[in-house]
Amino acid sequence: MDHIQLHIKDVAVFLPEEEILKQAPQAVECNRALHEGTRAGSDFLGWVSLPSTITEEALREIEDAAAVLRSRCEAVVVVGIGGSYLGARAVIDALTDSFNWLQDTGRRKDPVILYAGNNISEDYLHELMSYLDDKPFGLINISKSGTTTEPALAFRLLKDLLESKVSKEEARQRIVAITDAARGALRTLADTEGYKTFVIPDNVGGRYSVLTPVGLLPIAVAGINIRKLVEGAREIEQATASSTAFDFNLPAIYAVIRNELYKRGKKIEILVNYHPRLHFLAEWWKQLYGESEGKENVGIFPAAVDFTTDLHSMGQWIQEGERTIFETVLTIRQPNQKVVIPHDARDLDGLNYLEGKRVDEVNKMAELGTRIAHVDGGVPNLLIELPELNEQYLGQLIYFFEKACGISGYLLGINPFDQPGVEAYKKNMFALLEKPGFEEATRTIKARL
Ligand code: PA5
């Protein structure tokens, strides 16, 4: 079995191996705590065993629901925010032809997947509804709490649009709700309307939910093999079992290195990719680490850059700005497609020296050259290598990052499974919108304006 790899040699000048190894017993203990539920957030550890416990029946139910949407819809809108959409989008973007979504005029093999409820932009919603106006579309409405404003608002508008185009019964066939088993407005709405529903387990937080129906249903609708994704995740679950020694536990090594670098003043981690398809994987990763670790006035700031694009915007800062960053590069050994650089008789662009080479070779040399330059410039470098971009290795990567995040949060001394800070903006927004129940907060905030 081939698998993702973690290369750490470009950390050595900044962090000697002995310093990493000193933390091994603590990291092993943190990993064990995730399996045994002995530390903070133990009510939210369902994700640890998700890959190995998901049943054949559960997978089939997801695939069946996906088949219904695929047979009825040219476009399916995933309505959700944060952990309720980023995992699906990360996988779908990573495994979909970059231009596939454009080919929606002819007969498509897979429905185009669109997203709503992750912002409150009136223009965005208007443009989305105009786009959907003449298309057979469906909706997957995802909210664990079932009360989040952004998706609830988008769903109200999109449901109205759908019901204005097709019969109530047809609309019902094209809507799936994913929410809590019993609580929240979305549960009430879905039960009242008779939608097909899936449950988000109580013990899995939003940002760890990509391997539940939250991620798996949209991914299956997009025509991606969810079994291989789960299989890949299961491989890393098994490879990082409670008893795994530190040297073999890649997420534990990653977690220790990032925490040791943090202690040495490296307060920002940039996740680097060299493929546009990985942009949303980085968005998912940012949420996973930002929401898990940024609390109690500590935590690495997770940022992401798309190279080589951002080398022409952020490259200067990374090379010579404040030396408070380290980078984790995602590299893909083998691209899925082949494009060879042609000969040009006049060579006016001076590129004949690249003739016959694959474009990926140029990309790889840009990557290597950049890594060397950044290390020389004082930026520690971790490298995560995927043999290729497919379901299995993405599944491995997802579980790798989840496990590392849990271990890293425990090493940092915080609860990586809550997000108390997210409520602050909501309280102010509700007060300003004069939501019933927020009268006192409305008075307080208006006095400040
Ligand atoms: O990870 C999290 O818990 C959050 O990002 C949530 O997923 C996000 O706030 C959406 O919440 P909900 O699914 O309850 O609508």
Side-chain angles (χ1 to χ4, degrees), residues 296-354:
E296 298 176 34
N297 299 325
V298 296
I300 293 169
F301 183 83
V305 282
D306 300 325
F307 283 173
T308 58
T309 315
D310 292 336
L311 283 173
H312 297 259
S313 59
M314 296 301 291
Q316 173 61 35
W317 197 100
I318 296 166
Q319 190 67 45
E320 296 182 345
E322 193 182 25
R323 301 297 71 191
T324 47
I325 59 170
F326 66 98
E327 67 182 358
T328 300
V329 176
L330 294 175
T331 189
I332 298 167
R333 200 184 304 150
Q334 188 65 38
N336 291 336
Q337 311 295 342
K338 184 171 181 181
V339 178
V340 175
I341 299 164
H343 174 75
D344 185 279
R346 295 197 294 163
D347 196 26
L348 294 177
D349 52 15
L351 289 180
N352 272 358
Y353 79 102
L354 297 175

Side-chain angles (χ1 to χ4, degrees), residues 224-378:
I224 293 163
N225 188 330
I226 56 171
R227 288 167 190 263
K228 290 215 169 109
L229 190 78
V230 171
E231 197 180 301
R234 193 181 303 136
E235 285 160 0
I236 302 297
E237 182 192 332
Q238 282 159 1
T240 63
S242 182
S243 55
T244 308
F246 180 72
D247 299 19
F248 297 101
N249 193 332
L250 300 187
I253 296 170
Y254 173 58
V256 164
I257 291 175
R258 58 197 300 285
N259 270 279
E260 290 305 301
L261 289 172
Y262 178 64
K263 286 182 203 161
R264 288 161 178 77
K266 303 295 184 189
K267 306 283 186 192
I268 302 166
E269 178 176 10
I270 51 173
L271 188 72
V272 177
N273 74 75
Y274 282 79
H275 299 271
R277 281 173 174 219
L278 293 179
H279 177 84
F280 267 91
L281 189 90
E283 293 302 308
W284 168 82
W285 171 90
K286 267 161 55 180
Q287 190 217 355
L288 180 64
Y289 282 78
E291 216 166 73
S292 297
E293 293 192 317
K295 50 196 69 156
E296 298 176 34
N297 299 325
V298 296
I300 293 169
F301 183 83
V305 282
D306 300 325
F307 283 173
T308 58
T309 315
D310 292 336
L311 283 173
H312 297 259
S313 59
M314 296 301 291
Q316 173 61 35
W317 197 100
I318 296 166
Q319 190 67 45
E320 296 182 345
E322 193 182 25
R323 301 297 71 191
T324 47
I325 59 170
F326 66 98
E327 67 182 358
T328 300
V329 176
L330 294 175
T331 189
I332 298 167
R333 200 184 304 150
Q334 188 65 38
N336 291 336
Q337 311 295 342
K338 184 171 181 181
V339 178
V340 175
I341 299 164
H343 174 75
D344 185 279
R346 295 197 294 163
D347 196 26
L348 294 177
D349 52 15
L351 289 180
N352 272 358
Y353 79 102
L354 297 175
E355 175 192 339
K357 289 190 194 297
R358 293 188 50 181
V359 172
D360 189 61
E361 197 176 332
V362 181
N363 202 23
K364 288 282 190 323
M365 291 310 108
E367 180 185 317
L368 182 57
T370 306
R371 279 180 22 229
I372 293 169
H374 287 176
V375 171
D376 289 349

Side-chain angles (χ1 to χ4, degrees), residues 180-193:
D180 186 83
R183 287 174 306 231
L186 179 54
R187 168 52 62 190
T188 311
L189 193 156
D191 288 347
T192 308
E193 298 282 3

